[in-house]
């Protein structure tokens, strides 16, 4: 019986420490938005952004790859795509997509090495 109890405790401890954080949530009382951070399996941040209290994407969202490099900067207004979105590529360019009323209004590609504004 004692051996079974030791095995059960060891198994519980292993499972508890093996669990990885998938996300963190916090309600910002000043903005009335839910701030969220999602994580990759390796513990690196996957996405950051905010939701409205009724669950719609709001404001700026930033996505990262497993190495922690920024891949996308997006903007939402009450769940709809809005404003400028930036898609960062591995070859050093950024694709800029401008949204108006949840529809693509314009596209542009820029070489990051030539333009340090990004």
């Amino acid at each position: 019986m004692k051996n079974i109890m030791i095995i059960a405790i060891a198994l519980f401890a292993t499972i508890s420490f093996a669990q990885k954080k998938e996300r963190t949530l916090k309600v910002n009382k000043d903005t009335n938005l839910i701030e969220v951070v999602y994580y990759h399996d390796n513990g690196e941040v996957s996405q950051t952004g905010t939701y409205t209290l009724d669950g719609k994407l709001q404001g700026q969202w930033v996505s990262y790859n497993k190495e922690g490099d920024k891949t996308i900067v997006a903007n939402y207004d009450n769940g709809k795509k809005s404003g400028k979105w930036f898609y960062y590529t591995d070859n050093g360019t950024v694709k800029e997509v401008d949204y108006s009323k949840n529809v693509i209004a314009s596209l542009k590609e820029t070489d990051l090495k030539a333009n340090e504004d990004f």
Side-chain angles (χ1 to χ4, degrees):
M1 182 69 172
K2 185 176 180 181
N3 288 341
I4 293 174
M5 186 64 115
I6 291 171
I7 291 171
I9 291 171
L11 182 61
F12 176 77
T14 302
I15 291 170
S16 295
F17 288 109
Q19 291 178 348
K20 296 188 174 153
K21 186 179 351 180
E22 293 180 12
R23 70 176 181 198
T24 57
L25 297 169
K26 181 179 112 182
V27 176
N28 184 324
K29 293 181 182 176
D30 294 331
T31 62
N32 269 345
L33 295 173
I34 301 167
E35 298 172 354
V36 63
V37 178
Y38 291 98
Y39 298 90
H40 287 289
D41 291 340
N42 66 0
E44 290 286 332
V45 172
S46 170
Q47 289 185 354
T48 62
T50 55
Y51 289 101
T52 61
L53 295 178
D54 60 348
K56 294 179 181 172
L57 299 168
Q58 180 64 32
Q60 186 177 79
W61 278 76
V62 182
S63 297
Y64 303 89
N65 63 20
K66 288 187 174 188
E67 290 74 39
D69 299 320
K70 190 178 345 179
T71 57
I72 301 170
V73 175
N75 291 287
Y76 289 91
D77 184 16
N78 207 30
K80 295 182 179 176
K81 296 175 182 177
S82 69
K84 295 189 184 305
W85 285 39
F86 299 97
Y87 296 86
Y88 297 88
T89 65
D90 291 336
N91 65 4
T93 61
V94 64
K95 296 179 182 192
E96 180 182 321
V97 179
D98 196 8
Y99 284 93
S100 177
K101 298 180 184 175
N102 211 32
V103 176
I104 295 174
S106 67
L107 300 167
K108 180 177 162 184
E109 188 169 325
T110 305
D111 185 347
L112 285 176
K113 296 170 193 140
N115 186 344
E116 298 296 326
D117 293 338
F118 295 96

